Amino acid sequence: MKSSFLITLWVFSSLYLHAQSIFASDRKCKECHPTIYKEHKGAMHNNSTIFKDPIHKAVWDKHPANIKKANYKCAKCHTPTASDLLSKGKAGIPDISNPTHRQGISCTYCHRIEAVELGTMSNKNLISKEEKNYFGTMENPTKNEFHITQTNDMFRNGQVCMGCHSHKKNKEKLDVCVTQMAKQTSKENCITCHMPKVAGSASLHKDSLTHSYHGFPGTNSGQDMLAQYIDMKFEKKNTSFEISIHNHSPHDMLLHPLRML
């Protein structure tokens, strides 16, 4: 009985450790990319879990799935490295003691997206099975002990964002959130607006004057970076006034009915 218990414990521990090692820790990225790590640490991508985002938690607290203790339906995009919460047919509720449940959208998750599978209810990110295989926009991809970097145009034209930010329909097929990119151009897309070039080198090992900002400006932070895409005009009319807003961004201003504005 004792041997059987030890074998079971060893198998469980091995599976657990394997699940934890699927995506390397962001702290590893910090060693070579300290500036980007600092930006990402304060961004909503890193703080997308119910343990870090009070707005998301407030919504989840009232979600029917949470009330029934069924399963965390938001894991696909909010905690994508928590493999146990994403298993089909397996109920799972976020556990603060589990490090993958506390991890939001990590550096290594985004940079292992090799393609996006289009779907009716929502899209799906296709992740590279090679743990050290990362994608980006480098013209001269590099290889080192931490990773192999490959050029992927999705990271340049913004399509890499469409696995999570395209659309999501509920079981009644109503749009819970949707990003209409009908006005998207080669000069204006998710990357150019939400990851603009800022001063500072992307890596300690390959100097560059600028890097793509990883703070992801939005409704929660970095509004000054996005202000250039919105024009507001105030016009006095006798005893009243009129406000007109012109949106220059490649998508509608309001994308999510549950977002904080």
Side-chain angles (χ1 to χ4, degrees), residues 45 77 110 113 115-116 123 125 154-167 179 181 184 189-192 194-195 216:
H45 273 193
C77 289
C110 276
I113 299 174
V116 171
N123 289 347
N125 289 323
M154 291 178 62
F155 286 74
R156 187 176 288 109
N157 59 30
Q159 291 305 304
V160 68
C161 307
M162 292 296 101
C164 286
H165 291 282
S166 172
H167 66 284
T179 304
M181 299 298 287
Q184 181 168 323
N189 58 54
C190 307
I191 304 299
T192 56
H194 294 277
M195 297 185 71
F216 306 104

Side-chain angles (χ1 to χ4, degrees), residues 1 4 18 34 61-62 77 103 114-115 127 138 141 187 217 226:
M1 176 68 75
S4 176
H18 176 69
D61 284 346
K62 296 183 179 297
C77 289
Q103 174 64 61
E114 59 182 356
I127 305 298
M138 293 180 65
K187 294 183 178 180
L226 301 177

